[in-house]
Amino acid sequence: MRIFPILSLLLISQLLVGCEMFQRLTPGRQAPAAEPATGEAATDIPEAQCPPPVELACAEPEVKVVERIIERTRERLVEVPVAKDKLVLGSVETVAIEPGGLRLRSLVDTSAPTSSLSAQKLTPFERDGKDWIRFELTDPDEKKAEPVTIELPVKRFVRVTRPGFDSQRRPVVEMSLTVGEVTHMVEVNLTDRGAPDYPLLVGRNFLKDAAVVDVSRQHVQGRPRERSDK
């Protein structure tokens, strides 16, 4: 326990020595002259002084302005090749129908599952115990043409519902449709829509696995060739 008094004395002695050194280095006070050696006169020792303060100016950082340019890629139209066995159709095409031998301006309707034909004077009847339908077709582009009467067996009946209209029960028959050089036998439902601009709506049952549609074009295939044409 005697260590603490000893340590206290050591700290006090160190503080006294430090104060004495501080007084020696204080400006205005002269350091004690050194004793002359071997009889020579002692020379004056200049008073210890701190160096004058120097003002330092930090250089301003260099600022670089970087202009960022964002280049946007322009849209390009890319033509996608279509398989050689696919028929390219526009939104409107001329279709030849059989029986009837008519060429009708038709609307290609990808939303319709079955093709639809506007006919007049729909008359159901029975033949050999089976349902048949008699109807008339006219080409709206041929004002003076006589209507064509067609009789076909009914394959089945479908009920079609359109927004804003009552549901209709329509007979379905098989007809041959020709667009360009391609002919398909497909089911067509019959209805009387009056005198529409497009008496035939070509549905997906004709387009499936046979054609692709470019809605930005019309009459891509031109007028189809009838069976009697060479």
Side-chain angles (χ1 to χ4, degrees), residues 17-158:
V17 173
C19 291
E20 184 179 357
M21 292 298 295
F22 177 76
Q23 291 177 357
R24 291 179 181 181
L25 297 177
T26 301
R29 294 178 177 270
Q30 294 183 354
E35 296 181 356
T38 62
E40 294 181 356
T43 58
D44 295 334
I45 299 175
E47 184 179 350
Q49 296 182 356
C50 295
V54 179
E55 184 178 356
L56 299 178
C58 298
E60 295 183 359
E62 183 179 359
V63 179
K64 294 183 179 181
V65 179
V66 180
E67 183 179 1
R68 180 177 296 180
I69 301 176
I70 300 176
E71 183 178 358
R72 295 182 178 179
T73 305
R74 296 181 178 179
E75 295 182 358
R76 294 183 301 171
L77 295 178
V78 180
E79 294 185 0
V80 180
V82 180
K84 294 182 180 180
D85 58 344
K86 297 287 185 178
L87 184 69
V88 179
L89 301 180
S91 59
V92 177
E93 294 288 346
T94 301
V95 181
I97 64 172
E98 291 290 344
L102 297 177
R103 296 178 180 177
L104 302 177
R105 185 173 66 252
S106 307
L107 181 66
V108 180
D109 188 0
T110 57
S111 64
T114 307
S115 300
S116 179
L117 179 64
S118 178
Q120 297 80 42
K121 297 183 179 180
L122 294 168
T123 306
F125 65 97
E126 187 175 314
R127 177 179 293 174
D128 298 333
K130 296 181 180 180
D131 293 326
W132 282 62
I133 188 76
R134 182 184 300 112
F135 56 94
E136 292 183 356
L137 292 179
T138 56
D139 187 351
D141 295 333
E142 299 291 338
K143 302 299 182 181
K144 297 182 179 180
E146 294 293 329
V148 177
T149 302
I150 301 174
E151 294 181 352
L152 289 173
V154 177
K155 299 290 294 183
R156 57 191 178 94
F157 289 90
V158 295

Side-chain angles (χ1 to χ4, degrees), residues 188-205:
V188 179
N189 67 71
L190 305 176
T191 183
D192 189 354
R193 295 198 302 269
D197 294 333
Y198 305 102
L200 176 63
L201 302 180
V202 180
R204 293 197 303 269
N205 60 342

